[in-house]
Amino acid sequence: MKLLQPVYDSVLARNPNQPEFHQAVYEVLQTLEPVMEKHPEWVKAGIVERLVEPERQIMFRVPWVDDQGNVQVNRGFRVQFNSAIGPYKGGLRFHPSVNLSIIKFLGFEQIFKNSLTTLPIGGGKGGSDFDPKGKSDREIMAFCQSFMTELSKHIGADTDVPAGDIGVGGREIGFLYGQYKRLRNEFTGVLTGKGLGWGGSLARTEATGYGLCYFMDNALKAHGKSFEGKTVVISGSGNVAIYACEKATQLGAKVVALSDSNGYIYDPDGIDLAAVKEIKEVKRQRIKVYAETHKNATYTEGCRGIWTIKCDIALPCATQNEINEESAKILLANGCWAIGEGANMPSTNEAIALYLQNKIIFGPAKAANAGGVATSALEMCQNSMRYSWTFEEVDAKLKQIMKDIFDNATAAAEEYAGDKDNLVAGANIAGFLKVAKAMYAQGVAY
Ligand code: NDP
């Protein structure tokens, strides 16, 4: 990096102890150099300096009472990163690991991802260090109501529209939406991922996992390949992993592994997805239960071991930095030739460097998992129209959006990086161009 090194140095100096945020910024800035060389007016206008600083960061106390009558206190976050092309949009994550660094890396990535969807949405992200695991429904409700009591002051259908992420699914969105409505006395599309009878969109639940497979299908086809007959390993067993498994299977692949944060299951017969849905979505149990009822399946403690399973295509769909350099080396040594990121930043920068060196087919998260937020934007659209599309209509739009993202990222990679297969550069640049143009046009206080 030359032109943008001072910007990165300033990010490091001004945001100490935020390693995930540094990692996400570095990954983007190192690909933007050729763009800034072509646009000295953006350098002069401080576009990148402004882009790395959130427009607004909100941190708040979330007190609630547990089933034993004890007061618990969590920390809530909403980072409204960039609204140049539309209202802030991005999920809420409830997980004990959540801190400002994680929310900022997710919010920063969201700017580019949302721009790539071709829809008018800015970037934001939020969440809490609350751990939903093992909590009763009443405790979840109490937490969500307290969280929304503060969050409701900062969001709105034309301002900031949160959605789900790790630990926030349909149940949590329901409790959050109910509280927003109670406080504001308005029925608006302020959250996405809502239930189907009260403003939700068909295909939103499936969208991130399906979108990932649609994106990868385009990438595979560009190399004369497909999912048909391929062995696929998917990490995680949450919303993204389950629907990636469903679509990959529909496209002819055999998915042989899934995981959670404790360990992974391997089923050489192919994952029985109906059983997984029952375990995870209905009974909310751990993934190891699967091996108790499937005779050829095995369960192994420790989630990183999943990358030692031989496969053609790997789809990391759990969490950030789940594939480090060592795991990447093992995957490649075992013959894996395509990786599509369903989770956000699941590969370390060292792992990504290895993918690029080895010229495997690589779909980076910003592009490959954008189907979720794209369908959230379609939910906003339906809410504004007070109308709903059929599953097939939404799914067809999603498929087209994922193709457009692939085409735009490929074109940007070719134009600026001189390598149409470098979708890391392509996704960052294609996402950046639209936001930079908007920021430039909207000026800066003078
Ligand atoms: P869920 O909460 O539904 O599922 C998360 C899955 O990942 C669970 O199986 C969980 O296991 C596992 N996991 C979580 N944290 C860790 C960890 N630290 N180590 C190992 N495994 C872990 O979340 P989603 O499926 O919604 O999200 C998964 C990823 O996809 C995240 O990176 C998210 O940001 C990203 N994403 C999600 C979108 C969406 O629409 N939902 C959109 C775009 C990206 P356990 O139960 O043990 O915690």
Side-chain angles (χ1 to χ4, degrees):
M1 260 195 301
K2 283 197 297 272
L3 265 177
L4 296 175
Q5 187 64 42
V7 183
Y8 183 61
D9 290 341
S10 146
V11 166
L12 294 180
R14 297 179 78 191
N15 305 279
N17 305 318
Q18 296 186 0
E20 293 86 1
F21 179 53
H22 301 162
Q23 183 183 338
V25 171
Y26 184 81
E27 196 250 291
V28 171
L29 296 200
Q30 60 163 352
T31 61
L32 294 186
E33 202 79 13
V35 186
M36 299 312 278
E37 278 166 12
K38 274 198 186 172
H39 289 279
E41 76 284 12
W42 290 353
V43 177
K44 185 156 188 308
I47 295 291
V48 180
E49 285 85 340
R50 286 191 269 151
L51 196 64
V52 296
E53 185 68 20
E55 289 175 17
R56 197 172 296 107
Q57 308 181 52
I58 304 148
M59 279 172 68
F60 50 99
R61 179 175 65 192
V62 190
W64 56 282
V65 178
D66 69 18
D67 284 348
Q68 284 69 47
N70 299 317
V71 173
Q72 301 286 342
V73 180
N74 286 101
R75 186 171 289 170
F77 301 86
R78 187 71 185 165
V79 174
Q80 299 179 329
F81 226 115
N82 194 294
S83 62
I85 62 168
Y88 310 106
K89 178 99 199 82
L92 297 172
R93 175 176 293 192
F94 292 169
H95 192 273
S97 64
V98 163
N99 56 35
L100 190 58
S101 174
I102 288 185
I103 298 298
K104 280 176 69 180
F105 112 65
L106 290 163
F108 184 70
E109 296 251 308
Q110 200 80 46
I111 303 169
F112 305 92
K113 182 189 308 192
N114 292 4
S115 167
L116 277 171
T117 65
T118 69
L119 300 166
I121 37 179
K125 198 83 187 188
S128 173
D129 57 3
F130 172 73
D131 186 0
K133 258 192 225 108
K135 302 289 190 301
S136 69
D137 282 354
R138 194 211 60 82
E139 289 176 318
I140 301 277
M141 185 169 71
F143 174 81
C144 287
Q145 290 178 344
S146 181
F147 183 85
M148 183 52 90
T149 299
E150 176 60 30
L151 188 69
S152 65
K153 297 169 190 163
H154 311 285
I155 61 174
D158 294 317
T159 313
D160 183 356
V161 183
D165 189 76
I166 291 179
V168 179
R171 173 181 58 169
E172 291 74 20
I173 293 289
F175 294 146
L176 291 163
Y177 192 71
Q179 184 70 352
Y180 183 86
K181 208 159 50 62
R182 239 168 251 125
L183 293 166
R184 301 288 287 262
N185 192 28
E186 57 184 39
F187 198 106
T188 50
V190 70
L191 293 169
T192 56
K194 298 186 290 298
L196 291 180
W198 42 278
S201 173
L202 285 159
R204 173 61 187 92
T205 306
E206 294 83 355
T208 310
Y210 276 26
L212 168 65
C213 293
Y214 293 149
F215 183 91
M216 288 309 288
D217 197 38
N218 281 290
L220 298 180
K221 283 193 177 128
H223 290 85
K225 296 176 188 284
S226 76
F227 273 104
E228 187 66 46
K230 305 302 181 313
T231 301
V232 176
V233 163
I234 301 180
S235 63
S237 50
N239 172 263
V240 181
I242 287 175
Y243 292 96
C245 180
E246 184 163 287
K247 184 52 72 179
T249 308
Q250 285 172 11
L251 292 173
K254 179 154 91 166
V255 180
V256 295
L258 288 176
S259 63
D260 61 22
S261 55
N262 296 115
Y264 65 92
I265 51 160
Y266 170 64
D267 189 342
D269 300 334
I271 294 290
D272 169 2
L273 196 60
V276 172
K277 284 185 181 177
E278 178 72 13
I279 293 167
K280 299 304 298 182
E281 294 182 336
V282 182
K283 297 185 174 157
R284 297 184 187 275
Q285 293 172 319
R286 309 302 297 158
I287 198 67
K288 75 172 177 194
V289 171
Y290 180 95
E292 292 163 12
T293 50
H294 291 75
K295 64 176 168 44
N296 291 330
T298 53
Y299 172 76
T300 310
E301 280 289 326
C303 46
R304 225 180 258 284
I306 193 169
W307 307 122
T308 62
I309 299 171
K310 194 172 159 47
C311 65
D312 299 300
I313 302 168
L315 303 176
C317 294
T319 194
Q320 65 272 0
N321 293 330
E322 54 174 313
I323 305 185
N324 58 14
E325 189 174 12
E326 191 194 336
S327 299
K329 277 186 185 155
I330 297 170
L331 272 169
L332 299 180
N334 282 339
C336 171
W337 47 264
I339 297 182
E341 296 185 324
N344 282 311
M345 206 168 77
S347 311
T348 63
N349 285 338
E350 294 74 25
I352 293 174
L354 273 179
Y355 307 157
L356 296 178
Q357 275 162 28
N358 284 276
K359 300 216 162 291
I360 63 162
I361 300 171
F362 175 52
K366 280 183 206 80
N369 74 21
V373 73
T375 308
S376 275
L378 298 178
E379 181 174 330
M380 290 165 73
C381 202
Q382 294 168 81
N383 291 164
S384 300
M385 292 190 295
R386 305 244 187 273
Y387 186 72
S388 35
W389 293 315
T390 63
F391 186 97
E392 289 69 27
E393 283 172 305
V394 180
D395 191 40
K397 290 185 202 305
L398 170 64
K399 204 180 272 182
Q400 185 59 47
I401 287 169
M402 298 317 293
K403 181 175 187 319
D404 292 345
I405 294 174
F406 176 75
D407 290 344
N408 291 341
T410 302
E414 189 152 36
E415 183 179 347
Y416 288 94
D419 173 5
K420 69 174 177 33
D421 295 326
N422 184 347
L423 297 179
V424 176
N428 289 342
I429 293 168
F432 172 74
L433 288 172
K434 188 171 158 193
V435 176
K437 280 179 200 155
M439 289 176 74
Y440 188 70
Q442 290 166 23
V444 59
Y446 216 61

